[in-house]
Amino acid sequence: MTRKQRRLVLIGSALTVLAIAAALVLNALRDSIVFFSTPSMAAEKSIPPGQRFRLGGLVQAGSLERGKQLQVKFVVTDGNASLPVMFTGILPDLFREGQGVISEGALDAAGVFKADTVLAKHDETYMPKDVADALKKQGHWKDESAQQQNAAGAKAATSVR
Amino acid sequence: MSLIDLANPSRFLKFAERVLPWLAAATAVLMLVGLQQVFAAPDDYQQGATVKIMFIHVPSAWLSMFVWGVMSLAALGTLVWRHPLADVSAKAAVPIGAAFTFIALVTGSLWGRPMWGTYWEWDARLTSVLILFLMYLGLMALWRAVDDPSRAARAAAIITLVGAINLPIIKFSVDWWNTLHQPASVLRIGGPTIHPSLLVPLLIMAVAFSLLFLTLHLAAMRNEILRRRVRTLRLLQASAARA
């Protein structure tokens, strides 16, 4: 082995060890790195009322109710489980039924998630409005498939754990 | 001229002088074409005109990682092959990469406020990119902290290679963990999820940004070689004066 090859092997093995160490650390910290819990993850962890966490999922179609002032109630679902959410404040522009949403807060004694922050999540699809309209008209709209995908994604996230 | 000839700094300087005007011109032309295309691009069905931020944000974010990739190759060149230009290339790339990372962070923040409802959240993608930015700053400090360029180069090369572990973490953070940031739209299995009318301007901007990096990098490498020559001349002068 030449000196160059020896140096290359040394660097390669050092980096491999470091990468494995990083992977182990990230794996151990998985619970804290995950930005939000889906309703099924929340149910599985049986988070006690009053403990703060972030709840993420899709706003169930037809579940949005506006109260007086800026009060809103909606249901967050991941396809398997769902949780009712109460929030008072201004919702982000992208907030709508069927849209991904992340809310921060805690469960109350009745099992309702009292949120003090609501963030909208958007998916990785970008298209002009007329294309979206045309797709809707033709019945190829992504909502169904995307929702199934998201539900499957949420399911995968829970099964990994 | 073959690649091995460029290892000679004098030949490299001549090469840089000849190529730089063309590179700069190509960058300017492509940037103008790209910006015109961005201006003409349609609004997104959900995000409206806010989607325009993507054309700056995404190329900067790609470049922020690409530049670290270039620096990692240069680090191997320093540590393994002791290539004379490797540490010049590594040192010249650091501030440029830091600038691209900074632009990606700021534009992402400005984009996040209207769309997500927040400037900043500690999700895996945002945090790992912030770590990348801090590592760029650390490298800049390290290069300045050590006087002898060859010693600084070896220390910087090791840190660069260690930091390269962050690159796959950034790329796959949105797949490995639940994040606020959406998954990849372009570089993903199954092809892009961006409509061609928005994808084409994005790709033109990405090429323009890459050319901008090439131009700035080449110019910065030339400056670094000249700076080292000045340093050597000063040292010679000082020792001559003492003798």
Side-chain angles (χ1 to χ4, degrees):
Chain A
M1 227 195 292
T2 65
R3 269 165 61 198
K4 276 174 196 163
Q5 279 169 334
R6 211 164 48 223
R7 288 200 289 257
L8 202 55
V9 169
L10 185 73
I11 292 170
S13 36
L15 278 183
T16 313
V17 171
L18 266 176
I20 293 172
L24 289 174
V25 168
L26 291 178
N27 197 36
L29 293 178
R30 200 173 41 192
D31 274 0
S32 9
I33 296 174
V34 162
F35 189 65
F36 60 86
S37 306
T38 59
S40 356
M41 283 159 80
E44 203 179 317
K45 279 193 272 194
S46 55
I47 298 170
Q51 189 187 320
R52 287 177 65 80
F53 68 102
R54 290 195 196 91
L55 177 72
L58 298 172
V59 181
Q60 198 164 58
S63 72
L64 181 67
E65 285 171 37
R66 288 184 192 273
K68 37 181 187 213
Q69 303 292 323
L70 290 166
Q71 256 191 14
V72 281
K73 254 176 82 176
F74 53 90
V75 175
V76 165
T77 174
D78 60 11
N80 291 329
S82 56
L83 271 176
V85 177
M86 295 243 299
F87 174 68
T88 308
I90 297 169
L91 294 167
D93 282 1
L94 276 186
F95 184 96
R96 59 198 70 163
E97 291 178 351
Q99 185 81 25
V101 75
I102 298 172
S103 42
E104 198 173 343
L107 290 169
D108 69 2
V112 176
F113 190 82
K114 291 271 169 77
D116 44 40
T117 320
V118 171
L119 302 176
K121 201 170 141 53
H122 64 80
D123 61 9
E124 65 274 33
T125 325
Y126 300 84
M127 64 177 96
K129 195 170 181 314
D130 46 341
V131 175
D133 290 342
L135 282 179
K136 272 181 198 158
K137 215 178 279 172
Q138 291 163 13
H140 291 310
W141 187 236
K142 58 164 182 110
D143 265 359
E144 289 89 344
S145 62
Q147 283 204 7
Q148 276 160 12
Q149 257 174 23
N150 273 339
K155 225 180 277 172
T158 36
S159 63
V160 167
R161 295 174 35 79
Chain B
M1 195 193 298
S2 71
L3 206 62
I4 203 80
D5 287 335
L6 290 176
N8 179 322
S10 301
R11 290 226 180 92
F12 178 84
L13 280 181
K14 266 193 210 132
F15 168 78
E17 288 303 333
R18 228 182 27 221
V19 172
L20 263 176
W22 295 99
L23 263 180
T27 307
V29 168
L30 222 64
M31 200 64 98
L32 282 176
V33 172
L35 285 175
Q36 189 275 328
Q37 290 284 311
V38 166
F39 187 73
D43 287 351
D44 181 61
Y45 74 108
Q46 273 193 334
Q47 308 194 24
T50 326
V51 77
K52 304 268 192 226
I53 300 176
M54 173 177 76
F55 301 109
I56 303 290
H57 173 74
V58 172
S60 316
W62 282 345
L63 262 289
S64 71
M65 294 169 70
F66 177 76
V67 173
W68 198 282
V70 169
M71 281 160 42
S72 305
L73 280 184
L76 282 182
T78 300
L79 292 176
V80 178
W81 293 285
R82 303 275 147 89
H83 193 285
L85 282 179
D87 59 324
V88 174
S89 159
K91 186 180 178 186
V94 182
I96 308 173
F100 281 127
T101 317
F102 183 72
I103 295 173
L105 284 171
V106 169
T107 52
S109 180
L110 293 176
W111 197 5
R113 182 69 193 107
M115 289 301 115
W116 299 337
T118 177
Y119 286 113
W120 184 265
E121 286 294 327
W122 294 100
D123 95 327
R125 168 60 70 83
L126 277 60
T127 309
S128 55
V129 174
L130 181 69
I131 292 173
L132 179 75
F133 180 61
L134 294 177
M135 289 195 309
Y136 271 118
L137 294 187
L139 267 186
M140 277 163 76
L142 180 68
W143 274 108
R144 281 168 170 270
V146 184
D147 278 338
D148 179 14
S150 62
R151 279 185 54 217
R154 302 198 57 178
I158 291 168
I159 303 227
T160 306
L161 288 177
V162 171
I165 291 171
N166 195 18
L167 294 183
I169 296 178
I170 294 175
K171 168 72 188 150
F172 296 112
S173 54
V174 285
D175 303 323
W176 290 343
W177 302 291
N178 287 340
T179 50
L180 178 60
H181 196 287
Q182 69 284 0
S185 296
V186 181
L187 302 171
R188 67 190 279 280
I189 301 164
T193 52
I194 302 186
H195 190 264
S197 58
L198 293 160
L199 182 61
V200 170
L202 176 63
L203 294 180
I204 297 176
M205 284 305 278
V207 177
F209 267 62
S210 310
L211 279 177
L212 178 66
F213 165 67
L214 268 184
T215 312
L216 293 175
H217 189 220
L218 207 58
M221 281 177 75
R222 178 198 60 191
N223 297 351
E224 177 63 20
I225 292 172
L226 294 176
R227 197 177 296 127
R228 287 185 185 188
R229 286 198 176 163
V230 170
R231 184 183 127 91
T232 317
L233 287 177
R234 284 231 176 94
L235 287 176
L236 282 175
Q237 206 177 25
S239 60
R242 217 179 298 135

